């Protein structure tokens, strides 16, 4: 694909994203007339109108929506190809995009990052802490390279490898230390006020299933989407 054609794709996607030629041109750091001319050139090349310019907001036509979908996929594939080229050069340079679910942040992310930097100092890292379903969606969209999450059914296109078994622990304030020595029986939690991750996290699903298996209706006082927030609250 020629460089001019790649530029056409990026220009079209920018206009589609902003819905406005002026803002798209500012984002691309080119003049609006240049942007308009390049989009019209693309439309002439394809022989079809990609944008509806009749309203206050520029919108994709049906043909434009189909074309931009393929354009996004093509640019993602090219970006993946560029990363793959760097990967085969003995990992001396490159960038890793990692997604993790919250429970791994407290004890795994620090040592993992240190080990990565020690072995491959030229590799930079972007870390995203989010829910498992969002990690899987980002992997499928090529917005992440790898994710660390829980075992279980995964969408088609996701390849999973078991790394280790994680153990979850009960955390209490020091003044509320249980009188019963550990391990604390699950039925002892029935009357305790619990602070748990919100329901969109896989960890919470495992906890809910554990309570359900033991026929316990927990008293959930606080829900949060941050493990650090939960420990601060406790």
């Amino acid at each position: 694909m020629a460089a001019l054609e790649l530029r056409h794709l990026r220009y079209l996607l920018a206009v589609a994203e902003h819905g406005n030629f002026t803002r798209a041109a500012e984002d691309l750091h080119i003049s609006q007339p240049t942007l308009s001319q390049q989009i019209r050139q693309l439309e002439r090349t394809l022989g079809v109108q990609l944008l509806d310019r009749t309203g206050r907001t520029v919108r994709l036509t049906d043909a434009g929506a189909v074309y931009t979908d393929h354009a996004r996929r093509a640019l993602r594939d090219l970006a993946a190809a560029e990363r793959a080229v760097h990967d085969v050069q003995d990992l001396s340079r490159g960038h890793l995009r990692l997604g993790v679910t919250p429970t791994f942040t407290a004890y795994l992310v620090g040592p993992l990052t240190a080990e990565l930097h020690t072995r491959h100092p030229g590799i930079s890292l972007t870390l995203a802490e989010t829910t498992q379903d969002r990690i899987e969606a980002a992997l499928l969209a090529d917005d992440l390279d790898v994710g660390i999450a829980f075992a279980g059914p995964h969408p088609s296109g996701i390849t999973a490898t078991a790394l280790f078994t994680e153990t979850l622990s009960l955390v209490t304030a020091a003044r509320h230390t249980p009188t019963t020595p550990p391990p604390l029986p699950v039925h002892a939690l029935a009357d305790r006020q619990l602070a748990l991750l919100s329901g969109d996290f896989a960890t919470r699903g495992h906890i809910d299933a554990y309570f359900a298996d033991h026929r316990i209706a927990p008293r959930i006082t606080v829900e949060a989407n941050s493990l650090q927030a939960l420990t601060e609250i406790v």
Side-chain angles (χ1 to χ4, degrees), residues 9-20:
L9 298 184
R10 295 190 177 101
Y11 287 176
L12 176 63
L13 292 176
V15 175
E17 178 182 352
H18 291 284
N20 181 282

Side-chain angles (χ1 to χ4, degrees), residues 82-112:
E82 291 177 7
R83 289 194 301 273
V85 168
H86 296 312
D87 287 345
V88 299
Q89 295 176 342
D90 70 9
L91 297 178
S92 60
R93 54 177 294 202
H95 184 75
L96 179 67
R97 302 167 302 168
L98 171 66
V100 298
T101 52
T103 60
F104 300 112
T105 306
Y107 66 90
L108 182 63
V109 167
L112 194 65

Side-chain angles (χ1 to χ4, degrees), residues 171-177 234:
V171 177
T172 66
R175 63 184 180 278
H176 294 145
T177 301
V234 169

Side-chain angles (χ1 to χ4, degrees), residues 4-152:
L4 181 61
E5 292 172 323
L6 283 179
R7 185 164 67 245
H8 281 149
L9 298 184
R10 295 190 177 101
Y11 287 176
L12 176 63
L13 292 176
V15 175
E17 178 182 352
H18 291 284
N20 181 282
F21 275 93
T22 301
R23 288 195 295 270
E26 291 172 353
D27 189 38
L28 293 165
H29 304 293
I30 61 173
S31 69
Q32 182 176 335
T34 297
L35 177 59
S36 298
Q37 186 231 354
Q38 292 291 310
I39 296 297
R40 290 195 182 279
Q41 185 179 13
L42 176 61
E43 289 178 322
R44 285 195 300 271
T45 300
L46 295 173
V48 67
Q49 184 177 343
L50 300 173
L51 297 173
D52 180 356
R53 302 166 175 83
T54 58
R56 296 181 61 184
T57 301
V58 180
R59 302 186 179 209
L60 291 168
T61 63
D62 289 344
V66 172
Y67 189 76
T68 53
D69 182 55
H70 286 277
R72 288 190 185 95
R73 196 176 311 143
L75 290 177
R76 281 200 302 264
D77 288 344
L78 285 172
E82 291 177 7
R83 289 194 301 273
V85 168
H86 296 312
D87 287 345
V88 299
Q89 295 176 342
D90 70 9
L91 297 178
S92 60
R93 54 177 294 202
H95 184 75
L96 179 67
R97 302 167 302 168
L98 171 66
V100 298
T101 52
T103 60
F104 300 112
T105 306
Y107 66 90
L108 182 63
V109 167
L112 194 65
T113 304
E115 185 70 15
L116 173 66
H117 183 68
T118 299
R119 293 191 183 192
H120 308 289
I123 303 292
S124 58
L125 175 68
T126 297
L127 176 71
E129 181 186 78
T130 185
T131 61
Q132 179 158 328
D133 59 339
R134 290 177 181 171
I135 290 175
E136 292 169 339
L139 288 171
L140 292 172
D142 194 35
D143 292 327
L144 287 176
D145 298 309
V146 66
I148 301 178
F150 289 90

